[in-house]
Amino acid sequence: MASLRVKKPTTRKGKKALEEREPKTIENLKKTLIMEGRKCSNEIRQALKDLNLFKKPNSRMMRRNNDVTPFEDATPLEHLAKTNDCHLFLFGSTSKKRPNNLIMGRIYEEQVLDMIEFGIDHYTALEKFKTEKISQFTKPVIVFNGYKWKLTEELRRIKNLLLDMFRIDQIESIRLQGIEHVLSFTLTDDLTILVRSYRIQLKKSGQRTPRIELTEMGPSLDLSIRRTKIASDSLYKTAMRQPAILRVTKRKNVTRDELGNVHGRVHVGKQDINALQTRKMKGLRKTAEEKRTERANKKSRLSASADASMDEGADGDSSGEANDGMDADSGEE
C-alpha cells in the first residue's frame, strides 16, 4: 500500500507558492486556464487567443493539445487547474458531432463546480475589425441584455458564470476617463447568446456629461447552448458563502475596512479642558512667580470674604437696636 506521506517544501520559493494557494479571507484574483482539446479548428484556436487577450495577465494558456473530455472525465482538467492554480477554465475543441465547441467552467475545492458547453455558430476575429483598440488590462463594463436571463435557474447560472469569467476585479469607484471597454451579452428568443465587444468614445456634448459613442472592435461570437453541468443548490450555496468577518452587519457608528479591521466612533459630551487631569511632569509645573501670584490672589479673596461677613454682622446689630427702640416707645405710650 502506497504511503500518504506529504512532502513539505524545503525552499523559500516552494513555501511561498503554497502560501499563495492557502485559503484567504480576501481571495486573490481568479486565474483562467485556457487549453485546446485533441482536435481544434483554426476558428476555435483564434477565439481562444482573442479571449486570452481579455483575460491577461490573469490567465494561463496551454501551448499544446490535450486529450481531455471534460463532460466524460474531468480528472485531467482538475489536475491541470490545480497545478496552474486556476479556478476558471476555457476549453476549445472540434469534432464531427460537435464542431466549434467551447466549454466554460469553474473549479471549487479542486473539483469542477459547473461548466457550460457552447457551440460557436458565427465568429469574427479581433484582427478583422480595423478599428482602434483599447489599452491592455482595462476593466470592462459588462452588460446583459434580454429579459430571459432570469426565466430559469440554468440561465441564471450561465449569467453568473459569464460574469465570473470576464470580470477582472470588483471596484467601488470608477473614473469616467477610465471606462474604455464594454462587453455585451444579449440573449435572443431562440436562446442564442450574442457576445459583442465595444470601445467607448467620449465626445463633446456641450454639457458637463460627455456624449458616449460605441464602436465595435471585436471579437464577435454567436453562442448556442449545448450541454450543461450545474452544481446542486447546496454545493452552490456553500461555494458562494462568505467568511463571517466579511459579512456586512448594520451596527451604528461601526465600520470595517478592506482588511476586516473594525473601526468604531464614540460620541462624548462637551469637556472642560481646564478640569482635565493631565500627566504631572516637570515641564508643566508652576513657576515660583505663578505660585506667589496664586497665594496673593487667594489671600485677597479670603480677606474680601471676611470683610463682607463683618459688614453683614454690623448691619444686623444696628437693625436689632432700632427695633428694640421702637418697641420701647410703643410701650410708653
Side-chain angles (χ1 to χ4, degrees):
M1 182 178 179
S3 62
L4 299 179
R5 182 173 58 89
V6 178
K7 186 177 180 181
K8 295 183 179 180
T10 57
T11 60
R12 181 177 176 273
K13 185 176 181 180
K15 293 179 181 179
K16 188 176 180 180
L18 289 182
E19 289 177 357
E20 286 292 327
R21 299 185 183 185
E22 289 180 354
K24 301 179 179 62
T25 303
I26 301 177
E27 296 181 351
N28 301 330
L29 295 179
K30 294 182 180 180
K31 297 180 181 179
T32 304
L33 179 66
I34 303 177
M35 54 189 301
E36 302 174 3
R38 284 193 300 262
K39 295 181 180 180
C40 196
S41 62
N42 292 331
E43 189 171 339
I44 284 290
R45 190 175 290 107
Q46 186 63 38
L48 292 177
K49 289 181 180 179
D50 290 345
L51 294 176
N52 183 41
L53 293 177
F54 287 161
K55 297 293 295 181
K56 280 185 176 181
N58 302 312
S59 63
R60 178 68 185 277
M61 189 165 185
M62 310 299 288
R63 297 300 179 184
R64 63 179 183 179
N65 294 0
N66 299 271
D67 190 5
V68 179
T69 52
F71 277 89
E72 284 73 22
D73 183 14
T75 304
L77 177 62
E78 294 169 352
H79 176 70
L80 289 173
K82 179 182 177 181
T83 304
N84 295 277
D85 192 21
C86 297
H87 296 85
L88 300 168
F89 64 88
L90 283 171
F91 181 83
S93 62
T94 186
S95 62
K96 186 176 181 180
K97 187 177 181 180
R98 295 184 178 87
N100 297 333
N101 209 38
L102 180 65
I103 299 177
M104 296 183 185
R106 292 181 281 196
I107 304 292
Y108 174 70
E109 294 291 342
E110 300 178 1
Q111 294 182 353
V112 175
L113 178 66
D114 48 14
M115 54 183 172
I116 312 296
E117 184 181 69
F118 298 103
I120 300 180
D121 300 333
H122 177 72
Y123 173 71
T124 305
L126 182 67
E127 59 185 10
K128 292 185 179 180
F129 289 86
K130 305 301 180 182
T131 57
E132 186 178 355
K133 310 302 180 185
I134 60 173
S135 57
Q136 202 172 11
F137 313 139
T138 302
K139 298 180 179 63
V141 178
I142 301 177
V143 180
F144 290 93
N145 304 311
Y147 66 94
K148 290 191 174 183
W149 285 112
K150 298 181 180 180
L151 290 182
T152 63
E153 182 65 24
E154 182 177 293
L155 292 175
R156 284 193 291 268
R157 295 286 183 88
I158 294 176
K159 177 183 176 181
N160 185 267
L161 175 60
L162 291 173
L163 181 62
D164 203 12
M165 178 67 66
F166 292 99
R167 181 180 61 182
I168 297 179
D169 193 8
Q170 186 173 358
I171 57 177
E172 297 180 357
S173 59
I174 58 175
R175 180 173 172 264
L176 187 60
Q177 284 75 14
I179 303 177
E180 301 180 15
H181 186 203
V182 174
L183 276 177
S184 174
F185 299 92
T186 305
L187 186 62
T188 61
D189 294 336
D190 58 349
L191 300 183
T192 300
I193 302 176
L194 307 180
V195 184
R196 300 293 184 267
S197 177
Y198 300 96
R199 179 178 178 270
I200 297 178
Q201 294 180 333
L202 302 180
K203 302 291 186 178
K204 293 183 179 180
S205 62
Q207 301 177 358
R208 185 174 182 181
T209 304
R211 179 171 55 89
I212 296 177
E213 290 186 1
L214 299 180
T215 304
E216 189 172 1
M217 66 172 194
S220 174
L221 298 93
D222 294 351
L223 304 178
S224 58
I225 303 173
R226 290 178 177 173
R227 290 186 293 178
T228 60
K229 181 182 179 182
I230 296 177
S232 60
D233 294 338
S234 59
L235 181 59
Y236 183 74
K237 186 176 180 180
T238 304
M240 297 291 290
R241 185 179 301 167
Q242 290 184 347
I245 193 174
L246 295 180
R247 294 175 187 171
V248 179
T249 57
K250 294 183 179 180
R251 293 180 60 187
K252 190 175 181 180
N253 299 327
V254 177
T255 57
R256 288 182 181 271
D257 58 10
E258 295 180 355
L259 300 177
N261 300 323
V262 180
H263 299 274
R265 182 181 298 176
V266 180
H267 297 274
V268 297
K270 188 177 180 180
Q271 296 181 351
D272 186 6
I273 301 176
N274 297 323
L276 291 177
Q277 177 63 42
T278 57
R279 183 180 178 184
K280 296 180 180 180
M281 54 185 298
K282 292 182 178 180
L284 298 177
R285 289 179 181 177
K286 296 180 180 179
T287 62
E289 184 65 27
E290 291 176 348
K291 291 180 180 180
R292 285 195 295 268
T293 305
E294 187 177 354
R295 285 196 297 266
N297 293 335
K298 188 176 182 180
K299 287 180 181 180
S300 63
R301 287 196 301 267
L302 291 176
S303 61
S305 61
D307 294 342
S309 61
M310 289 177 64
D311 293 340
E312 290 178 358
D315 294 340
D317 294 341
S318 61
S319 62
E321 292 175 358
N323 292 333
D324 294 341
M326 292 178 63
D327 293 339
D329 294 339
S330 60
E332 292 177 356
E333 291 177 358

